[in-house]
Amino acid sequence: MSKGLVLTGGGARAAYQVGVLKGIARILPRSVYNPFPIICGTSAGAINALSIAGRAGPFRLRTSKLERIWNELTPADVYRTDPRGVLKNTFHVLASFVHSGYGIGKPISLLDNSPLRKMMDNYVKFDYLDTAISNGELEAIAVTAMSYASGQSVTFYQGNEKIAPWNRSRRRGEKIELSIDHLMASTAIPGLFPAVQIERDYFGDGAVRQLKPISPALHMGANKLLIIGVSDNAGRSPRVNGMEHSPSTAQIVGHMFNSAFIDAVESDLETLHNINRLASALPQSLREKNNITDLNPIDVLAISPTESIDSIAQEHLHELPRSLRLFLSLTGATAQGGGSSAASYLLFEPGFCRKLIDMGMRDALAKETDIKEFFEL
C-alpha cells in the first residue's frame, strides 16, 4: 500500500509539522530512509515537503536538519524586515489601488520574501528528486499553487511514469520538473508575498481555492494517508460569548487566513470519513454490480495541534521586528485586537517555532500506537 504524507499550509504554524515529523522519526526504526513514497505540500507545508523529499539520508537525519532550520529561523530569513523595505512595499501596494497599471511588469506585495527564496534554493536539492524517484525511494512529490489566470488549484508534481495528469473541477495536476519557482509560488500568500511567474502564468499561495487538499495524494496513488494540519480546533472549546468590540482588520484577515489554510482541510477530512463509512458498508458484490469498484476505504491518520496556537502566538508577538510590530499593531493584530491568529502566520521567531515543534513532538508521541499501526510496525 502506498503511504502518502499531506502537509497543509499555515505560514509559521508549519513549525508544528516539523515536530510531528520528528516524533514519527523517533518512533520508526533508524534505518528508514523515506517512509512516505508520496509527499504533498501546500504553502508552508510545501517547504517541509520538499525539505524532506529533496534531501538524501535516513528519515531521522532529514527531520533533524529540518528542525535545525526552524529552530534558528527569524523573520529576516523569510522576508525583509527593515523599516525602509516594509514602508516601500506598503507604498507600492497603496499606489496600486489608485493606479491600475502601477503593478504591471513586477508583482507587488507588502513583504519581500527574497530571503526565503535564497535560503530554500540553497537547502533543497531539487536534482535529488529524480534520483529518489529513479531508485524507487519516492513515487511522487507535489506542491500546489493557485493560478491567477484561471483561478484553478494547480498541483505541480514530479513522479514516476505511472502517474497521469488529471483535470477536475477547479483543480488539475500537471507533471513537471519541480524548481524553486514552484515552491515560492505555493508559499506566495496573496497581498503579503509577490506572485510568481511560471511560464506565461502567475501563481499564488496554494491554500487559496484549494477545495480538495487531500485529493492530489489520492490522484497520485496513495491509499494510506497521514495528514499533519495546523488547526487547533480539536484542542479547544469554541467561544459562546459575544465580542466586546467590532472586529479589527487583523481579526478579519485572521479568519480569511484560517478559511484558506484550515477550513478546507477539515471539510475535506470530514468528507473522506463519510466516504469511508459508505465504502465500508457496501459489500463487494454491490460495488461490482454498480460499477463502483474503485470506491475503497482510505486509511487516514490525522494529527493536529492539541493546544491553542493563537494563545502561544500572543506570548511571542513582542519578539517580532519593530517595523512589523508597528504594522500589526495598527491593524489590530494584538491580544486586545483579537488578531493574534493573523500574526501567528508571520511569527517566524525561534521562541514561537520551538514551542510549536515541541508540541508537535508531544502530539506525535502521544499517538505512538496509532503511528505504529499506520506503518504496520
Side-chain angles (χ1 to χ4, degrees):
M1 299 180 76
S2 292
K3 300 177 183 66
L5 174 65
V6 178
L7 300 174
T8 64
R13 289 171 171 242
Y16 173 82
Q17 298 172 349
V18 180
V20 175
L21 292 171
K22 179 184 176 183
I24 292 172
R26 180 170 294 187
I27 293 169
L28 295 175
R30 287 180 175 270
S31 58
V32 173
Y33 260 59
N34 180 16
F36 302 103
I38 296 172
I39 303 177
C40 300
T42 300
S43 193
I47 293 175
N48 293 333
L50 281 166
S51 295
I52 292 296
R55 302 286 295 191
F59 185 64
R60 188 170 294 193
L61 177 62
R62 300 186 200 196
T63 57
S64 177
K65 288 184 176 180
L66 180 59
E67 180 191 12
R68 192 177 308 138
I69 287 180
W70 281 89
N71 273 335
E72 299 172 357
L73 201 63
T74 66
D77 294 318
V78 180
Y79 47 83
R80 284 185 60 182
T81 59
D82 57 289
R84 180 181 178 185
V86 174
L87 289 173
K88 178 181 177 182
N89 287 336
T90 302
F91 171 78
H92 289 332
V93 171
L94 293 174
S96 69
F97 284 124
V98 297
H99 194 299
S100 60
Y102 190 84
I104 294 178
K106 183 180 180 181
I108 58 173
S109 61
L110 282 172
L111 299 172
D112 174 4
N113 62 348
S114 55
L116 177 64
R117 171 182 279 269
K118 181 179 180 180
M119 179 178 69
M120 296 312 300
D121 200 21
N122 290 331
Y123 183 78
V124 178
K125 308 301 180 184
F126 288 95
D127 55 352
Y128 181 73
L129 298 177
D130 259 341
T131 302
I133 293 170
S134 298
N135 65 25
E137 174 191 318
L138 191 65
E139 292 179 21
I141 168 71
V143 299
T144 298
M146 176 200 65
S147 164
Y148 277 106
S150 66
Q152 280 187 313
S153 176
V154 182
T155 297
F156 297 105
Y157 73 92
Q158 190 168 339
N160 60 42
E161 67 283 352
K162 296 179 181 179
I163 303 172
W166 63 90
N167 201 331
R168 299 292 186 271
S169 174
R170 298 189 182 279
R171 52 194 167 92
R172 73 175 192 265
E174 185 175 322
K175 190 171 185 177
I176 201 166
E177 189 171 312
L178 292 173
S179 69
I180 187 64
D181 285 337
H182 300 99
L183 173 56
M184 296 308 297
S186 184
T187 61
I189 300 175
L192 288 181
F193 299 139
V196 177
Q197 185 175 13
I198 299 176
E199 295 182 350
R200 292 185 296 177
D201 197 356
Y202 280 91
F203 291 86
D205 197 291
V208 180
R209 306 202 73 172
Q210 190 181 30
L211 303 178
K212 300 291 182 182
I214 298 174
S215 67
L218 301 179
H219 279 296
M220 294 188 294
N223 43 31
K224 293 188 73 172
L225 296 178
L226 195 150
I227 303 170
I228 307 178
V230 296
S231 168
D232 53 18
N233 288 338
R236 58 177 176 172
S237 302
R239 290 180 59 183
V240 294
N241 53 307
M243 292 177 59
E244 297 179 356
H245 53 76
S246 61
S248 65
T249 300
Q251 193 168 10
I252 294 171
V253 171
H255 282 295
M256 292 173 64
F257 281 176
N258 290 341
S259 177
F261 294 114
I262 293 175
D263 295 352
V265 179
E266 293 182 341
S267 176
D268 209 15
L269 260 175
E270 185 176 340
T271 299
L272 183 58
H273 286 314
N274 289 334
I275 292 176
N276 279 346
R277 291 172 58 193
L278 175 62
S280 300
L282 289 176
Q284 184 65 28
S285 58
L286 188 59
R287 293 186 214 171
E288 293 175 355
K289 180 181 179 180
N290 291 277
N291 195 27
I292 51 173
T293 53
D294 59 340
L295 183 64
N296 296 305
I298 302 296
D299 190 3
V300 179
L301 174 57
I303 302 178
S304 57
T306 53
E307 300 175 25
S308 170
I309 291 183
D310 291 356
S311 297
I312 298 174
Q314 289 177 16
E315 300 171 4
H316 293 273
L317 290 177
H318 67 280
E319 298 175 5
L320 285 168
R322 181 179 299 177
S323 58
L324 201 59
R325 288 205 313 269
L326 175 60
F327 172 76
L328 292 173
S329 178
L330 290 174
T331 59
T334 61
Q336 293 77 19
S340 57
S341 182
S344 70
Y345 290 92
L346 296 174
L347 251 171
F348 294 96
E349 288 288 349
F352 178 68
C353 291
R354 287 170 187 168
K355 279 199 175 181
L356 296 193
I357 291 173
D358 290 343
M359 176 168 55
M361 176 79 164
R362 291 195 305 271
D363 290 350
L365 294 179
K367 288 182 174 286
E368 182 173 358
T369 301
D370 295 333
I371 291 171
K372 286 184 174 179
E373 183 179 338
F374 181 87
F375 289 104
E376 300 172 352
L377 297 178

